Amino acid sequence: MSEKLSERQIEISWPDLGITVTADLDDRNPALADALWESLPYQSLQGHALIAGEHLYHVAPIPTLLHTPHATRIADRREAPDGTVFCSGLQHLGIKYGTLTEPMPATPVGQIREADMPALREAGAAIWDAVYSTKKQILAEVRRAGEQGGHRIPMLRATNADAARLIADILTETEKIWLAPPVELEGLHQGVIPSQAGNFGTVLPTLLFVNGETRPLGYAAYGGLVRAAVQDMPMASLVHMTRLLVGVPAEFLGYCGLEKLWAFTQRFLDVLDSLDRGDFYAVTSQMALYINCLGGWNLQLYPWGTGDHLRQQVAAGVA
């Protein structure tokens, strides 16, 4: 990059809340910071951690986040200063705005300016309320400081004709659902389940299973396959691991209502044996972005408040 990382600032805005904060990028993870900078501007559905504490995150439309190596890792993100901005291998941009409980390693790329911390905490509280209670859909916009906002979803390229058509169709669907809830998931959350998955007319168990299967399929299975391709796992092994990892959960999710995901998966498996490494990387990267987007909407739409009567108790003898 021609400019120094320390001279680059990004603005993270939540127009629905009327809040904008500025972060200074730094030199701790220059490759990750470069990937973020080059992707700007973009918009995404804003999420909030559900079990880890005061932490914001959203899916970033940056395929390379799945495999870009880090130079610096914080061993325990609970110890990071409030306002630390992270880019993660789960394809997230995250911001710590207060106390965290999860001792997770993390890769920082910048810091929210001190003057903006009250606004960041205000945004955090409003976003938690939206995700947990009101279900208001709050969008984040990330842009270079002082520049116009905007949005685009990147498209990866394949030389195999069938793979190229599949990527184009995945992109079209991802663009459709990136900033608006998928019709399939909205239907599920309204109790419309064509297969009647859910015993005796129940809905919540199906929603729970869909959420629980979608996230690891994107984070672990497809994210892992992308990293394995970049790290030169032999193609025969990549093909074998793909067949082991993605078919069963995708078929189950299709039964639960995510029929487009299952259809894309079947097309991927049909063409899998004819892909070279570059085309394999392109398809799995495009699928990962699509599935991680589905995962973000699952977390937004899920009725977390259903369990509000369940509250943590302090065990006897524990301070």
Side-chain angles (χ1 to χ4, degrees):
M1 301 301 299
S2 57
E3 67 270 69
K4 295 179 181 178
L5 281 170
S6 58
E7 296 173 352
R8 297 193 290 187
Q9 294 83 39
I10 63 172
E11 292 172 345
I12 304 168
S13 174
W14 298 277
D16 300 291
L17 304 177
I19 295 174
T20 299
V21 298
T22 299
D24 296 296
L25 299 184
D26 56 43
D27 297 310
R28 287 177 287 182
N29 282 294
L32 288 168
D34 283 349
L36 173 61
W37 185 256
E38 292 303 316
S39 75
L40 302 179
Y42 71 77
Q43 297 171 337
S44 189
L45 174 70
Q46 182 62 65
H48 192 292
L50 287 151
I51 65 170
E54 294 173 319
H55 187 72
L56 300 174
Y57 68 91
H58 60 249
V59 181
I62 311 175
T64 56
L65 286 187
L66 293 173
H67 60 82
T68 299
H70 63 270
T72 302
R73 172 178 279 185
I74 297 175
D76 186 343
R77 65 179 179 172
R78 294 177 301 179
E79 305 303 321
D82 291 353
T84 300
V85 179
F86 304 99
C87 283
S88 87
L90 301 181
Q91 217 160 29
H92 290 159
L93 183 142
I95 312 172
K96 177 180 183 285
Y97 73 89
T99 302
L100 294 181
T101 57
E102 185 180 16
M104 180 178 177
T107 48
V109 295
Q111 182 72 32
I112 301 295
R113 292 182 172 179
E114 185 61 35
D116 288 342
M117 286 304 299
L120 176 64
R121 295 187 179 101
E122 179 184 348
I127 293 161
W128 168 253
D129 188 54
V131 172
Y132 186 78
S133 299
T134 70
K135 316 313 290 180
K136 179 179 179 180
Q137 295 162 15
I138 296 176
L139 299 182
E141 180 169 82
V142 187
R143 57 183 181 260
R144 299 179 184 185
E147 296 189 9
Q148 293 294 315
H151 180 65
R152 67 180 180 87
I153 301 292
M155 178 177 178
L156 288 94
R157 303 292 175 180
T159 56
N160 178 282
D162 290 331
R165 283 190 290 269
L166 174 57
I167 288 171
D169 290 344
I170 297 168
L171 173 68
T172 297
E173 183 62 20
T174 306
E175 289 176 329
K176 187 184 301 183
I177 69 171
W178 192 262
L179 300 178
V183 173
E184 294 166 309
L185 283 180
E186 274 198 313
L188 281 173
H189 285 81
Q190 293 165 3
V192 180
I193 307 175
S195 68
Q196 297 186 308
N199 283 7
F200 311 114
T202 59
V203 173
L204 195 63
T206 305
L207 300 182
L208 179 65
F209 276 65
V210 167
N211 188 48
E213 291 285 347
T214 306
R215 295 178 71 236
L217 182 60
Y219 292 171
Y222 276 96
L225 290 170
V226 170
R227 284 185 285 276
V230 171
Q231 295 167 9
D232 293 327
M233 177 182 280
M235 278 303 301
S237 299
L238 285 173
V239 169
H240 183 62
M241 290 305 299
T242 298
R243 295 196 182 280
L244 289 176
L245 291 174
V246 308
V248 171
E251 184 175 17
F252 173 75
L253 288 167
Y255 157 68
C256 291
L258 298 185
E259 295 177 357
K260 291 186 178 70
L261 169 59
W262 175 223
F264 288 150
T265 303
Q266 291 176 86
R267 289 171 62 186
F268 177 31
L269 294 175
D270 286 344
V271 76
L272 181 58
D273 289 325
S274 61
L275 300 182
D276 62 18
R277 184 176 301 275
D279 286 359
F280 178 89
Y281 169 84
V283 176
T284 51
S285 294
Q286 205 78 53
M287 280 289 284
L289 189 60
Y290 165 62
I291 296 169
N292 288 336
C293 179
L294 287 175
W297 280 111
N298 270 325
L299 294 173
Q300 170 66 32
L301 296 170
Y302 192 87
W304 304 107
T306 301
D308 199 51
H309 62 290
L310 300 171
R311 289 287 164 171
Q312 295 185 36
Q313 306 296 314
V314 177
V318 177

